[in-house]
Amino acid sequence: MKRVTILSRLEKTGVVAVVRGATKEEALQASHAIIKGGMTGIELTFTVPQADEVIKELVAVYSKRADIVIGAGTVLDAVTARLAIMAGAEYIVSPSFDAQTAELCNLYQIPYLPGCMTITEVKEALKCGADIVKLFPGSAYGPSILSAFLAPMPQVSLMPTGGVNLENMADWFQAGAVTVGVGGDLLAPAAVGDFEKVTETARQYAAKLKEIKG
């Protein structure tokens, strides 16, 4: 089943890079730099100009590498989700839950990862078939919140995003995260054109993940 295979690959990435950029070129270069550093999960956000074109290009370049999973982020509605899926996105991430987007992703057998902040939102997302719930923004809580969510809903898979960094990544996994989303410190050098620094930081994340997962 397509969706199960994608989910398995997505969980194996461990760390998903949330890629933003002022231009299409910046986002493309940043994505290549991240993959060069050994990270294999890319969430290309729709705040990037011509985001669908960036996704299409990345999918074309890395289609022969099963370890690399390219998805779309900051997807606010079903129209954008379909645009992303047609471009080749293998999963859809939203900052909030949207029922129509969930239905569309179910239709195309694409994992949907909506952003949730409360138990009520998590419950609604699960009812509509969300596969992994993005705990967003993670910075509003901290790792200890995961046990509070998992106590009444042990069946939920959580991906904290926002506020996850090299220093606290192990704490998030220890608290029960299936994977994490990172962006800020990883992407900051891209804004000034320092893609070598992006690769170097990606290497640190890949090494830290290996250390955590053993």
Side-chain angles (χ1 to χ4, degrees), residues 96-116:
S96 58
F97 172 69
D98 180 72
Q100 287 178 316
T101 302
E103 284 177 12
L104 184 101
C105 289
N106 280 338
L107 178 65
Y108 288 101
Q109 285 298 288
I110 292 288
Y112 177 47
L113 292 71
C116 296

Side-chain angles (χ1 to χ4, degrees), residues 18 20 43-47 72-78 80-81 92-99 101 112-118 121-122 125 132-138 141 159-162:
V18 182
R20 300 191 185 278
E43 178 193 319
L44 201 288
T45 66
F46 263 78
T47 53
T74 322
V75 175
L76 301 178
D77 52 51
T80 309
I92 299 294
V93 187
S94 298
S96 58
F97 172 69
D98 180 72
T101 302
Y112 177 47
L113 292 71
C116 296
M117 276 189 87
T118 67
E121 289 174 350
V122 172
I132 296 174
V133 171
K134 175 171 111 163
L135 187 70
F136 179 77
Y141 294 116
M159 178 178 86
T161 304

Side-chain angles (χ1 to χ4, degrees), residues 182-195:
V182 299
D185 61 337
L186 178 63
L187 268 299
V192 291
D194 190 355
F195 296 103

Side-chain angles (χ1 to χ4, degrees), residues 33 37 186 195-205:
L186 178 63
F195 296 103
E196 282 181 22
K197 179 69 176 168
V198 174
T199 297
E200 186 189 313
T201 308
R203 277 200 189 102
Q204 291 174 344
Y205 272 105

Side-chain angles (χ1 to χ4, degrees), residues 34-72:
I34 288 162
I35 291 168
K36 187 180 172 186
M39 288 175 69
T40 52
I42 299 287
E43 178 193 319
L44 201 288
T45 66
F46 263 78
T47 53
V48 172
Q50 294 103 46
D52 58 320
E53 290 174 24
V54 180
I55 291 167
K56 198 176 285 184
E57 213 163 309
L58 290 171
V59 169
V61 173
Y62 298 107
S63 60
K64 288 185 170 63
R65 283 190 56 182
D67 59 326
I68 292 171
V69 195
I70 312 288

